[in-house]
Amino acid sequence: MAPAAAGHPAYYFGASGVSALAFFPLWKAAAIGQSGYQVEGQGYWRKYFEAMKPPWRGSLVVIGGMTWARAAIFYGSDTGSKWMRQQGYSTALSSTAPSLCVSCFAQAVNQPFVRSSIMLQKPGEELARQTFPNMAMLRHLATTKGLSSWFTGLDAAILKTAPKYMTAVLIKDYMGLWLAPVDPKDKQAVLLKSAKVSVTAGVAGAVLTNPLDVVRNEMFKTEEGMVPCMMRMSKEDGPKWLLRGIGKNWVAVAAPIASTIFLTDRFKIWFGH
């Protein structure tokens, strides 16, 4: 099978940017839920709405970070996969190795901004009122806990992020092979196939890695190591901590991943790739 063309990087950045902007409120709700922060309201849906609504603290940093990271991961994965297949590597290795490497790099670069953004979502956080809240939070962390605190939870974040995108890319590539071929001229069939691949890839990546999201966010609050943090939560809450915030997270993570994959495919077609 000939490897799929990656397309112009602008398609990936455009799709990733639209998705990050559209789904930021869902990310905010998931971050609050997984961190165990309390919000006002009675009942699940009321609390969900309260968690989603403004103020959207650190939104520009989150949206910017998500945009470049997802674009780099999917573009790097497609480009790397194409090159590896041309060198004779298997579909499995070609789909996993590039996404694993690029996602690890992107997570490491974004980690300080991810941590500061999540901590800013705590209701009543005073630093959220600063003109540049993310920088204020990073200064606070450096002053009170040292520069190394910027990278607290990086191990859990990489263990979460890398498999999430690796799973999404692997499913995307294999589903493209497994699903019945469609006539490229049949726009509805092409659209439906792209939607199936995108949604399945996004949901699988989000659900499988939810526990590591919980561990990372808890580490931000407590400064614990990953293993001690997991042991403490298991002792306090039993296995139910593995599912903390999953109702919000699978939507918050799956939706932008699925839409990024889907819109990238659309942009390739719309702009004549």
Side-chain angles (χ1 to χ4, degrees):
M1 184 199 74
H8 195 280
Y11 304 154
Y12 294 81
F13 277 93
S16 182
V18 170
S19 300
L21 180 62
F23 294 110
F24 174 80
L26 297 179
W27 174 90
K28 177 177 181 280
I32 289 174
Q34 290 175 324
S35 300
Y37 296 145
Q38 297 300 313
V39 295
E40 297 179 357
Q42 298 295 324
Y44 177 83
W45 291 110
R46 180 62 182 174
K47 288 181 178 292
Y48 200 169
F49 174 74
E50 289 294 328
M52 287 177 58
K53 73 179 188 180
W56 292 330
R57 307 176 181 98
S59 58
L60 293 179
V61 170
V62 173
I63 292 169
M66 287 180 175
T67 296
W68 87 263
R70 286 199 190 108
I73 290 169
F74 285 115
Y75 178 72
S77 297
D78 286 352
T79 303
S81 177
K82 177 183 177 181
W83 180 84
M84 289 186 68
R85 291 182 191 183
Q86 289 174 337
Q87 305 309 307
Y89 292 98
S90 67
T91 298
L93 184 60
S94 299
S95 296
T96 54
S99 60
L100 184 64
C101 294
V102 180
S103 59
C104 286
F105 171 75
Q107 185 60 53
V109 173
N110 272 354
Q111 181 67 10
F113 305 104
V114 171
R115 173 166 194 184
S116 61
S117 298
I118 289 176
M119 294 184 70
L120 288 171
Q121 306 314 312
K122 180 180 180 180
E125 174 57 59
E126 292 293 328
L127 293 177
R129 302 175 182 176
Q130 298 289 324
T131 304
F132 299 103
N134 287 84
M135 298 308 299
M137 179 61 75
L138 289 174
R139 285 196 300 269
H140 170 73
L141 288 171
T143 301
T144 59
K145 304 179 187 300
L147 286 174
S148 63
S149 66
W150 289 5
F151 296 93
T152 296
L154 181 59
D155 47 0
I158 288 178
L159 286 173
K160 178 266 302 187
T161 301
K164 176 175 66 180
Y165 285 103
M166 186 175 68
T167 300
V169 171
L170 190 64
I171 290 176
K172 174 177 72 73
D173 288 351
Y174 268 105
M175 281 192 70
L177 298 174
W178 291 338
L179 292 177
V182 297
D183 184 352
K185 297 180 180 179
D186 187 341
K187 294 183 179 180
Q188 184 174 357
V190 171
L191 191 68
L192 183 59
K193 181 178 180 179
S194 179
K196 289 178 181 178
V197 171
S198 303
V199 172
T200 304
V203 171
V207 172
L208 290 174
T209 58
N210 185 77
L212 291 165
D213 271 320
V214 176
V215 172
R216 180 201 60 183
N217 292 3
E218 191 71 16
M219 290 170 69
F220 290 165
K221 296 193 307 184
T222 64
E223 301 295 325
E224 295 173 287
M226 183 174 66
V227 174
C229 183
M230 295 172 68
M231 293 177 64
R232 176 182 60 77
M233 288 193 292
S234 297
K235 183 178 180 180
E236 293 177 351
D237 301 324
K240 68 180 183 181
W241 71 265
L242 296 167
L243 300 178
R244 182 199 291 177
I246 194 170
K248 301 180 180 70
N249 187 52
W250 79 266
V251 176
V253 174
I257 289 178
S259 66
T260 298
I261 295 172
F262 180 77
L263 287 175
T264 300
D265 287 344
R266 294 297 89 205
F267 289 167
K268 289 178 182 179
I269 294 173
W270 292 338
F271 295 105
H273 178 77

